[in-house]
Structures are given as C-alpha cells and as structure tokens.
Amino acid sequence: MSPQYQKDPRTYNNICNLFGERFLGNSLVTERNYERWHKQRKIMDPAFSRTYLIGLMETFNEKAEELMEKLEEKAEGKKEFSMLTMMSRVTLDVIAKVPATFLFPLQLADKSGRVPYMPGKQKLIKEIQASVRLLRRVGRECIKQRREAVENGKEATMDILTQILKGDDDENMLDNFVAFFVAGHETTANQLSFTVMAVAQHPEILERLQAEVDEVIGAKRHIDYEDLCKLKYLSQVLKESLRLYPPIPGTLRWTETETVVDGIKIPANTTLNFSTYVMGRMEKFFKDPLTFNPERFSKDAPKPYYSYFPFSLGPRSCIGQAFAQMEAKVVMAKLLQRFEFQLVPGQSFKLLDIGTFRPSDGVMCKLKPRSHKKDVQM
Ligand code: HEM
C-alpha cells in the first residue's frame, strides 16, 4: 500500500490513547507521518534481518520446548485445556491476556471512530487503564535495566529492545515497547491456535504434516533454521490458516483529498477498509473459499496477489512477518512431533472480533503423546 495514503486517523488514534492513558502513542504501528514513521522503521529493521533472526532459533527452540513440557503434563488424553492459553504462554506468560482487553474498546467505537461513553462499564474502563499503566511501567523498568547494563559495560546485544532504545525520547521508546509487545505476541498465538483448530478438523492434513515433520525433524529436539526451510507443507498449512483466520483482519487507510482509483472517485476524508479476511473468503479470488485447502499455496499454484495480505502490503507491512513465521513453525513442528491432538466436542469454532481475531472458545483440546515419543532424543 502506497505511503501516499496514511493510516486512518479515526481508528488508529483510538489505540494511541485508551481512555486517556497513552497506549501505542507514536509507535511504529500508529505513527501516521511518513518521515517520522520511516525514521523509526530504519532503526528497527536490523532487529529483523535474516542474520539476526537465524540467531533467534535458539530462543524459539527454548521457548517452544518449555511449552512442550507444560503440554506433556496434560497429555494423558483426558485433561481438556485451551490451546490459545497455552500458545500465549510461549512468549510472555504473565501479561499474555492483557492485549486483548486493550483492544476491546475498538469494537465499541462509533462511526467517527470515538469510543463512546460506556455507562455501567466503568469497572472495565478502570481495568483497561490500569493494564495500560502496568504495561508502560514494565516497559519503563525493562528500558532502565537495559540502559544500566550498557552503562556498566555489558555489550549491547542486537535485539528489539536495543533498537527501541535508539528512539527519539523516553515516551516514544515506551510506545514502541508496548507496540512490539502487543503486535508481536497475541497475533502469533492466535495464528497457532487457529492452525491447531483447522488441522485437528482435517485428519488427512494432520497425517501429511506429521509425516513431513517425521521425515525432516525425526526425533531430534533442536530444530535448525535449515529444517524450517524444508517444512514446505507446514508453510502451506500456516498460510492457509492465515487466509481463513487472519489474526489481523486488514488495514485501514484514509483519503486526505479526493482520489480516483481505477476510475472510481473516492471523496476526501474517506476511510478505506482493506480486508484480507473478506477477500480471503470470496469465491472470486479463492475457489470454494470456505474449504481449508493448503494446496492453494503449493509451489505450482497461482500466487494470490493483492487478494491475500495477512501481513498487509507495502512499506507499512508487518516488520515481524519472518520472525512470526519462524516461531510458528518451530512451535507447530514440535507439537506435531510429540502429540496427537483432539478437539473437545461442543465448542464453537467462531472467530471473536476484538480488533484482532481470536478463536472465540479458545480451541479446547485434549492431547496424547505420539506413540514414537520414546525415541525423542535429549
Ligand atoms: C502471525 C503473526 C502476525 C500477523 C498476522 C501480523 C500482521 C500485521 C499486520 C496486518 C500489520 C499491518 C497493521 C496495520 O496496517 O495497521 C502489522 C504491522 C506490524 N507488525 Fe505484525 N503481525 C504478526 C506478527 C508480528 C510480530 C511477531 C511482530 C514483532 C515482533 C510484529 C510487529 C509489527 C509491527 C511493529 C508493525 C507495524 C509496522 C510498520 O508500520 O512499520 N508483528 N502486522
């Protein structure tokens, strides 16, 4: 999407401040001024370079392994649990559920984009305000600790926080701390839970995935970057999951002046809603769109240009796309390697729209160890 069209002020201003508390402020996600956004993006880009991401394989493996240990405790086939809750723990345990609460008010915004007065919702508003303050307090502490470490001669490691510290001022650093926490954590957990939900509903896809993981990873515990490149069918499945269940439904742009696109006149001051969710479910772009079919993303299938954009398109597209897909692959590969999973009957498989999309019943599952588990090496 061309930088000529800015993000929609009405919607994005709602997440700059929530009920009077500074939330995403002027972060990379919410900054609407092109020059100021570009400056921040150039600072953050190195933390998402290929070399840096390959270095993160250690962390992805370690965190995914911790999750597998927790899942093993539940894997006697009887205990029911929410896959979404477990997936959220892979990244940040304590404040995992908080971002969803933050985004709740977006749903309530009126046409002007303003969050209306909500009588009877004072308790919720207070909780949201307290959560925002808590997250910013945690951010302030992390930034302070990292600064002190650097001042005490500790070598600055190349990571997201190091790059955030290069921001213009303390408030902007905090904006980005919060933005990366929100953007980088809940989205991937939702993608993973939706994927488990879809795969568990399609035994033939599950079987093919397990066969691929057995062939590429076998029984080893540490997954290498090279292994990820070989998990081609898993990539297809993750892409198909993002088509039907995109954690972020789309992006909103705004026309400052009257604009003509493809012969269609769009008045000034119009909000344009580009929805990968809607386009992903249109027969015009995807044959039999409601069928979960990873073959749509096989090597020889035609590429769905401009009708599939779960990470958005153009300069404002997701900086964390590769990060998220590496993390998702490591977690899914380990899950497929170790467990048989079953969905608990009677739950709704609907999407809950809270600004982001998440599975409304949390993907309730039961797990059993896969029979070859005894072969897994330490
Ligand atoms: C499955 C996981 C993810 C999905 C589906 C996703 C999707 C998106 C989408 C659609 C946008 C554009 C938002 C807009 O137009 O307002 C975006 C932007 C962004 N994402 Fe992600 N994202 C994911 C994971 C991540 C991760 C892991 C990180 C960081 C570690 C991240 C950081 C960001 C940031 C900072 C932006 C703003 C980029 C800019 O405007 O320059 N995302 N993401």
Side-chain angles (χ1 to χ4, degrees):
M1 249 149 267
S2 158
Q4 183 190 342
Y5 307 112
Q6 290 186 2
K7 287 194 174 184
D8 180 53
R10 287 172 281 224
T11 314
Y12 287 89
N13 285 348
N14 278 331
I15 45 175
C16 295
N17 291 286
L18 277 185
F19 301 112
E21 294 292 335
R22 185 160 169 151
F23 180 43
L24 298 190
N26 302 324
S27 69
L28 191 61
V29 179
T30 38
E31 178 59 71
R32 293 177 56 249
N33 174 280
Y34 180 78
E35 276 73 33
R36 285 199 296 268
W37 162 77
H38 190 241
K39 189 174 164 207
Q40 294 191 53
R41 180 89 183 204
K42 270 198 349 219
I43 293 175
M44 293 310 302
D45 270 338
F48 293 89
S49 68
R50 190 171 171 273
T51 322
Y52 172 64
L53 291 180
I54 293 174
L56 278 182
M57 283 303 290
E58 205 63 48
T59 313
F60 292 145
N61 269 288
E62 187 191 315
K63 296 292 164 202
E65 205 52 49
E66 281 170 24
L67 173 71
M68 296 308 129
E69 278 163 27
K70 286 193 186 117
L71 290 178
E72 257 154 28
E73 292 163 16
K74 299 181 188 296
E76 89 302 358
K78 290 195 193 85
K79 217 177 259 175
E80 297 176 2
F81 66 93
S82 157
M83 193 52 92
L84 178 61
T85 306
M86 298 309 288
M87 289 303 188
S88 298
R89 286 184 188 165
V90 180
T91 41
L92 282 160
D93 237 336
V94 188
I95 25 186
K97 277 178 260 157
V98 175
T101 327
F102 290 145
L103 293 168
F104 177 68
L106 277 182
Q107 241 193 331
L108 305 169
D110 61 19
K111 274 203 183 123
S112 72
R114 247 177 255 123
V115 177
Y117 173 62
M118 299 193 296
K121 295 260 191 276
Q122 291 311 306
K123 190 167 167 272
L124 175 68
I125 293 172
K126 285 216 160 60
E127 274 174 23
I128 293 169
Q129 288 169 324
S131 306
V132 175
R133 283 197 297 270
L134 169 71
L135 193 48
R136 288 186 81 89
R137 233 181 10 252
V138 171
R140 208 167 274 124
E141 190 51 38
C142 289
I143 289 170
K144 184 170 154 252
Q145 282 181 12
R146 179 61 70 88
R147 268 205 194 117
E148 281 171 6
V150 173
E151 278 161 17
N152 292 335
K154 196 164 177 283
E155 205 184 317
T157 41
M158 159 59 77
D159 65 9
I160 296 175
L161 191 54
T162 298
Q163 296 310 101
I164 286 177
L165 281 169
K166 293 179 183 164
D168 275 344
D169 55 62
D170 280 14
E171 283 307 299
N172 180 249
M173 289 177 208
L174 274 176
D175 294 342
N176 274 317
F177 179 90
V178 176
F180 276 92
F181 174 83
V182 175
H185 156 65
E186 202 207 336
T187 44
T188 315
N190 288 346
Q191 182 196 10
L192 283 163
S193 319
F194 280 129
T195 306
V196 168
M197 177 183 100
V199 165
Q201 287 170 320
H202 295 85
E204 69 296 347
I205 295 176
L206 177 58
E207 211 173 293
R208 196 169 151 192
L209 278 173
Q210 285 173 332
E212 182 182 73
V213 167
D214 289 351
E215 196 189 319
V216 175
I217 317 282
K220 68 178 185 171
R221 289 235 158 165
H222 190 277
I223 300 177
D224 299 308
Y225 176 72
E226 291 69 29
D227 298 328
L228 296 189
C229 307
K230 290 181 202 151
L231 293 169
K232 298 210 183 315
Y233 190 61
L234 179 55
S235 294
Q236 288 174 224
V237 168
L238 287 168
K239 284 180 185 160
E240 177 66 345
S241 165
L242 289 171
R243 180 185 69 84
L244 276 176
Y245 313 110
I248 299 185
T251 188
L252 297 160
R253 292 293 185 272
W254 176 69
T255 55
E256 194 169 7
T257 54
E258 185 181 277
T259 314
V260 178
V261 180
D262 223 10
I264 300 168
K265 205 186 277 179
I266 301 167
N269 206 15
T270 302
T271 298
L272 304 170
N273 186 345
F274 297 93
S275 174
T276 190
Y277 170 74
V278 172
M279 292 178 91
R281 287 165 177 251
M282 285 169 75
E283 183 78 46
K284 181 174 171 189
F285 303 115
F286 297 93
K287 194 171 171 291
D288 198 5
L290 298 185
T291 302
F292 189 87
N293 176 12
E295 288 313 314
R296 298 177 204 277
F297 293 96
S298 66
K299 192 164 62 63
D300 303 321
K303 300 274 169 294
Y305 290 117
Y306 304 113
S307 50
Y308 173 82
F309 44 94
F311 295 97
S312 192
L313 294 167
R316 295 299 297 257
S317 62
C318 180
I319 197 171
Q321 175 169 355
F323 178 114
Q325 294 321 277
M326 285 168 72
E327 185 181 13
K329 268 187 166 180
V330 171
V331 174
M332 278 308 294
K334 283 180 185 277
L335 198 63
L336 291 158
Q337 181 191 46
R338 315 268 175 96
F339 302 104
E340 301 286 357
F341 35 88
Q342 231 182 22
L343 295 169
V344 175
Q347 59 183 313
S348 138
F349 296 119
K350 288 189 180 143
L351 285 84
L352 180 66
D353 180 359
I354 44 168
T356 55
F357 280 160
R358 54 160 52 192
S360 69
D361 283 359
V363 189
M364 297 305 294
C365 284
K366 280 198 250 179
L367 286 185
K368 268 195 214 151
R370 276 187 73 196
S371 45
H372 69 66
K373 200 204 113 195
K374 57 182 179 306
D375 304 329
V376 172
Q377 295 160 3
M378 292 305 285

